[in-house]
Amino acid sequence: MAAANLAESLRDEASCSICLDYFTDPVTIDCGHNFCCSCITQSWEGRDTDFPCPQCRAMSPQRNLRSNRQLANMTEMVKNLSQTSVRPKEENLCEEHEEKLKLFCEEDQRAICVVCDRSRDHRSHTVIPIEEAVQEYKEKFKMHLKPLRKNLEDLLKFTSTEEKKAEELKSETQIKRQKVESEFEELQQFLNKEKQILLSRLQEEEKKILQRIRENVTQLEQQSFTLKQLISEIEEKSQQPATELLKDVKDALSRCEKMKFPEPEAVSTDLKMDFQLSFPQQLKKWITKFEGMDWWMEFGRYTVNVTLDPETAGPDLVLSEDGRSFRWRNTRQNVPDAPQRFDIDPCVLGSEGFTSGRHYWEVEVGGGRDCLLGVCKDSVRRKGKITLAPGEGFWTVGLWNKQICWALTSPETELPLSEFPRAVGILLDYEAGKVSFYDPDNKSHLFTFTDTFTGKLRPFFGTYSEFPLRIRQVPAWD
C-alpha cells in the first residue's frame, strides 16, 4: 500500500495541473510552478502583459518560460516506474464456474465466463469479448475527457479574466478617488458635502462590482474543483483492470454527460461616475450656460413639491392617483362643471399657489409632445377657448412634435434646441418678476419671461399627448 501511495504521489508531481497528464516539454514560470509548454502557452494566448499562474494565480509582468530538463527526466522515470509497477494481476475467475472471465455482458454490465454465456441467464444477452468491451469503453472515456478538459480550460481562462478585471477596477477606482479628492479641494468650503456623497457612491459602486466579480470567481473555482475531481476519477478508472473499469461504467459516463455548468455572467467594470473635466471647470461651464446664475448655488432651496389640482383639470385629461402625472385622451370624461375647471382646453393647475419667493419644479416630458408648461394667475379665464400669453396671465412654453420649442410670448418666440429636452425645469422668482425654463438634464437655459406679478400664481400644465407627463420628485439641497 505504501508503495502504491508513493507511486501515486510521484505521478501527481510529474503531472501538469492544466492537462492533468504527464509533463510534456515542462517549463517553469516566475512563481516557480511547472506546466507543459503547450498548456501554459495556450492558457496565455492573447495576452500581452499580466500573465497569471493557473495554479496560484500570481501575476507575471513578462512571459518568462524556462525549460526544466530535470523535471522532464524525472517525468520519464515516473512513467517507466508506473508501467513496471502496474503488472497484470492473476486472471480473475468466475466465482460460480471458476473459469476465466473472458466475456462481457452488455445487459448485465459485468464480466462473465464462457460457461455463463451458455447459461439461461445470459443466453439472450449481447455478449462480447472482454478486451473488445474494454477498448470500447476506453474510447468512450476518451471522448468524454476532451470536452471536460476544454470546459476546465475555459473556466480557468474566465477566472483569470475576472481577476484581471478586479485588478483593473481597483486601479481605476484608485485613480478616480484621487481625482475626486484633488478636484474638491478647491471647492471644499461650499461643496464638502457633495464631495463626501460622490466618494461614498464611488466606493459603493466599486464594492458592488467587486462583490459580483468575487461571486463569479468563487463559482468558477467551485466548478473547476468539481471538474478536476471528475477528470481525476475518470483517468483513474481508465487505468483500472478490466473488471474494476467496467464496474458502474454507465454511472461514470452519465456523470460525465451531465457535468455542465452555466457560463457565469460577465461583469461590466464600467464605473457610472465620470469626470472628463475638473469640477471647477465643469462648474464654470454650467454657469456660462445659465442666465442669471446668481441663484444656482442655492438652487435646491427653492424646490417645491407640486401636485395637480383635479378640480381644475379639463374633461380630456386623465390624472394619476398620486396627483403627479397626467395625459390626454380622446374621450371626454363626465366630470362636474365647477367654476374652477377648464371646460375646453386640456389644462390643469397645480394645487399650490405662490404670492412671493422663489419656487422650482421639474416636469418629465420624455417621449411626449404637444405639451404646455409654465405658470399662470389664479384668476385666469377657464371657460371657453383660452389664449396663452402674458397679457392674459399665462407665462408658458410649448413643446411640439419632439423637435420644436416655443415661448408663448406675443408674438411667439421659437427657441433653438441642440437636443429635445426629456424634462423641463421651471423657476418662478416672484419678486424679480421672472419665470425661467431650463433643461435640467444638461443644465441649459431655455427662456426667461420678465414681467410684474400681482396676486396668486399657480403652476400650469397642458397636453395633447396620450404619453403621460410626470412631475419629478426633485431632491432639495441643504
Side-chain angles (χ1 to χ4, degrees):
M1 178 62 81
N5 291 338
L6 178 60
E8 184 65 25
S9 299
L10 287 173
R11 173 180 168 78
D12 290 342
E13 291 298 322
S15 298
C16 172
S17 62
I18 296 178
C19 67
L20 305 179
D21 204 348
Y22 286 117
F23 285 113
T24 301
D25 189 16
V27 293
T28 305
I29 62 175
D30 287 348
C31 65
H33 288 111
N34 302 289
F35 305 94
C36 299
C37 183
S38 60
C39 291
I40 192 63
T41 301
Q42 187 176 7
S43 174
W44 287 351
E45 187 176 353
R47 289 180 175 272
D48 297 323
T49 185
D50 293 336
F51 299 95
C53 173
Q55 194 162 341
C56 69
R57 299 185 182 83
M59 288 289 182
S60 300
Q62 296 180 344
R63 187 191 185 103
N64 294 328
L65 300 176
R66 300 184 300 277
S67 180
N68 194 331
R69 298 187 179 278
Q70 279 187 311
L71 182 57
N73 294 336
M74 189 196 79
T75 301
E76 289 301 319
M77 288 188 288
V78 172
K79 282 184 183 179
N80 295 333
L81 179 62
S82 297
Q83 291 172 357
T84 55
S85 61
V86 181
R87 291 174 179 159
K89 297 180 180 179
E90 182 181 352
E91 291 289 344
N92 292 315
L93 300 179
C94 175
E95 294 180 359
E96 184 178 357
H97 306 109
E98 296 187 356
E99 295 286 340
K100 291 183 179 179
L101 299 173
K102 295 182 177 181
L103 303 173
F104 181 74
C105 176
E106 292 279 3
E107 279 75 9
D108 291 345
Q109 288 286 295
R110 67 183 182 88
I112 61 174
C113 68
V114 293
V115 179
C116 292
D117 181 33
R118 295 171 186 169
S119 67
R120 292 180 180 178
D121 293 339
H122 299 277
R123 186 175 300 168
S124 60
H125 292 180
T126 302
V127 176
I128 59 175
I130 198 167
E131 293 82 5
E132 184 178 328
V134 169
Q135 188 61 36
E136 177 184 339
Y137 284 107
K138 278 188 176 182
E139 290 297 324
K140 289 183 179 181
F141 283 139
K142 184 178 179 181
M143 179 181 65
H144 285 289
L145 278 172
K146 186 175 181 180
L148 289 173
R149 287 173 176 156
K150 179 63 168 60
N151 288 340
L152 176 60
E153 179 184 345
D154 292 342
L155 288 173
L156 291 173
K157 285 183 178 179
F158 203 101
T159 303
S160 176
T161 301
E162 293 298 285
E163 290 172 343
K164 183 179 179 182
K165 284 182 182 179
E167 293 300 321
E168 291 173 350
L169 175 65
K170 289 179 181 179
S171 175
E172 182 183 357
T173 303
Q174 181 62 22
I175 292 172
K176 286 184 180 288
R177 183 180 288 110
Q178 292 173 353
K179 194 168 185 178
V180 169
E181 292 284 0
S182 64
E183 298 294 353
F184 275 91
E185 285 177 359
E186 300 178 33
L187 299 171
Q188 193 166 5
Q189 295 299 318
F190 57 98
L191 288 179
N192 185 61
K193 183 175 181 179
E194 282 72 15
K195 178 189 72 171
Q196 296 302 326
I197 292 173
L198 287 172
L199 288 175
S200 176
R201 288 177 181 173
L202 181 63
Q203 184 176 8
E204 185 64 26
E205 190 173 355
E206 178 197 12
K207 287 180 180 178
K208 289 180 180 178
I209 299 175
L210 282 174
Q211 178 63 28
R212 292 179 60 192
I213 291 176
R214 291 190 189 102
E215 290 173 357
N216 268 5
V217 170
T218 300
Q219 180 183 349
L220 292 167
E221 289 176 343
Q222 291 173 347
Q223 293 174 359
S224 299
F225 179 76
T226 303
L227 275 174
K228 287 180 180 179
Q229 282 188 320
L230 181 57
I231 290 172
S232 176
E233 181 182 339
I234 296 301
E235 287 183 335
E236 180 181 352
K237 193 166 187 62
S238 297
Q239 301 297 322
Q240 291 175 348
T243 304
E244 293 296 322
L245 182 145
L246 296 173
K247 184 183 298 181
D248 299 326
V249 69
K250 277 194 173 181
D251 178 63
L253 291 175
S254 175
R255 284 189 290 120
C256 291
E257 293 167 353
K258 293 179 180 178
M259 187 64 67
K260 295 180 181 179
F261 299 106
E263 182 177 343
E265 180 182 353
V267 178
S268 172
T269 57
D270 292 337
L271 293 169
K272 295 178 181 178
M273 297 179 63
D274 198 6
F275 295 89
Q276 298 297 327
L277 297 174
S278 68
F279 205 87
Q281 290 174 324
Q282 184 69 55
L283 183 60
K284 292 175 184 176
K285 183 177 179 181
W286 288 341
I287 291 174
T288 58
K289 286 185 178 181
F290 280 78
E291 196 175 277
M293 282 298 295
D294 54 323
W295 58 268
W296 189 82
M297 290 309 298
E298 296 180 347
F299 183 83
R301 296 186 181 184
Y302 309 124
T303 297
V304 291
N305 183 25
V306 174
T307 56
L308 302 171
D309 182 1
E311 300 298 323
T312 65
D316 297 337
L317 288 185
V318 178
L319 276 58
S320 63
E321 291 184 2
D322 63 359
R324 302 186 68 85
S325 178
F326 64 101
R327 63 181 178 86
W328 174 83
R329 73 176 184 181
N330 193 20
T331 304
R332 295 175 68 85
Q333 302 176 87
N334 185 17
V335 293
D337 186 17
Q340 64 269 31
R341 187 183 304 280
F342 293 94
D343 64 346
I344 293 180
D345 294 289
C347 305
V348 63
L349 300 183
S351 299
E352 298 73 16
F354 311 113
T355 56
S356 64
R358 293 178 178 178
H359 311 279
Y360 178 80
W361 63 95
E362 294 177 3
V363 181
E364 295 177 353
V365 297
R369 60 185 182 182
D370 300 345
C371 62
L372 303 159
L373 304 168
V375 299
C376 70
K377 290 183 177 181
D378 184 51
S379 59
V380 294
R381 184 169 59 89
R382 308 185 191 185
K383 303 302 180 183
K385 195 69 178 176
I386 62 175
T387 301
L388 298 179
E392 299 292 327
F394 295 88
W395 296 271
T396 59
V397 296
L399 287 78
W400 315 113
N401 299 321
K402 300 184 181 179
Q403 55 185 337
I404 301 174
C405 184
W406 294 86
L408 301 184
T409 53
S410 297
E412 296 175 350
T413 303
E414 184 175 358
L415 307 178
L417 298 176
S418 58
E419 60 180 312
F420 198 83
R422 295 182 302 169
V424 175
I426 300 102
L427 175 69
L428 167 63
D429 189 339
Y430 194 96
E431 282 75 14
K434 291 182 179 181
V435 181
S436 300
F437 298 83
Y438 302 91
D439 182 339
D441 292 330
N442 63 18
K443 301 295 187 293
S444 62
H445 173 255
L446 301 177
F447 188 79
T448 296
F449 288 91
T450 302
D451 210 328
T452 300
F453 302 140
T454 57
K456 183 187 292 186
L457 300 183
R458 297 175 68 177
F460 175 84
F461 311 87
T463 184
Y464 288 92
S465 173
E466 294 183 347
F467 185 95
L469 282 72
R470 185 166 186 82
I471 303 170
R472 275 184 176 176
Q473 188 74 38
V474 182
W477 295 1
D478 294 332

